């Protein structure tokens, strides 16, 4: 089995998604900045312009993270793939934990809220 062909295909796939991700993050940054500028042009309130600039920092940081850290072209494609799989596994575990905590809170709070509502109705 030729591993170089698989590595080339994996590297091309990562490069493709790197370009797509870069464009998406850059578009989000520009949309937020432009929306702040449009609102500022109508209201003439500088806080709207500063808010647009401030909130565009998050997509820009996402762009830098994806471009230079996650999908860095100098990285080994297998290590990048492993890192993506580890991140996916961590996100799924975190989602399960959050759903368990939220479900537990609802399970504990439901009878209390029901009793409170019943006491209000009968008063």
């Amino acid at each position: 089995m030729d591993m170089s062909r698989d590595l080339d295909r994996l590297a091309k796939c990562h490069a493709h998604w790197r370009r797509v991700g870069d464009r998406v993050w850059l578009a989000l940054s520009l949309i937020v900045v432009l929306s702040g500028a449009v609102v500022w042009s109508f209201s003439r309130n500088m806080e709207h312009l500063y808010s647009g600039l401030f909130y565009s920092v998050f997509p820009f940081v996402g762009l830098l993270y994806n471009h230079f850290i996650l999908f860095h072209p100098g990285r080994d494609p297998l290590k990048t793939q492993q890192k993506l799989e580890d991140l996916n596994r961590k996100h799924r575990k975190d989602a399960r934990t959050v759903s368990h905590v939220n479900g537990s809170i609802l399970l504990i709070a439901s009878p209390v809220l029901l009793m409170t509502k019943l006491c209000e109705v009968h008063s």
Side-chain angles (χ1 to χ4, degrees):
M1 183 168 206
D2 186 18
M3 283 298 291
S4 64
R5 173 179 270 162
D6 290 338
L7 287 177
D8 290 341
R9 191 170 56 108
L10 190 59
K12 286 180 183 177
C13 180
H14 287 173
H16 168 74
W17 285 111
R18 179 180 181 222
R19 287 189 300 272
V20 169
D22 288 352
R23 290 178 185 135
V24 167
W25 285 112
L26 192 58
L28 283 173
S29 292
L30 290 176
I31 287 170
V32 171
V33 166
L34 290 176
S35 63
V38 167
V39 171
W40 169 76
S41 68
F42 288 121
S43 69
R44 293 295 178 199
N45 187 354
M46 284 302 289
E47 290 178 7
H48 297 296
L49 183 62
Y50 292 145
S51 297
L53 291 172
F54 177 77
Y55 288 120
S56 69
V57 169
F58 174 73
F60 190 70
V61 169
L63 168 74
L64 293 177
Y65 173 75
N66 282 338
H67 189 81
F68 291 109
I69 296 172
L70 193 58
F71 290 118
H72 191 273
R75 288 182 61 121
D76 181 25
L78 288 177
K79 288 181 181 177
T80 304
Q81 187 69 28
Q82 184 63 38
K83 186 172 185 175
L84 289 171
E85 289 171 0
D86 291 343
L87 282 172
N88 187 21
R89 209 172 297 117
K90 182 181 181 296
H91 288 305
R92 285 195 319 239
K93 181 180 179 268
D94 290 345
R96 280 194 308 269
T97 303
V98 167
S99 67
H100 286 305
V101 168
N102 288 346
S104 300
I105 290 170
L106 284 174
L107 188 64
I108 292 169
S110 294
V112 173
L113 294 175
L114 182 64
M115 292 302 291
T116 307
K117 194 63 166 177
L118 286 175
C119 289
E120 287 176 8
V121 170
H122 291 294
S123 312

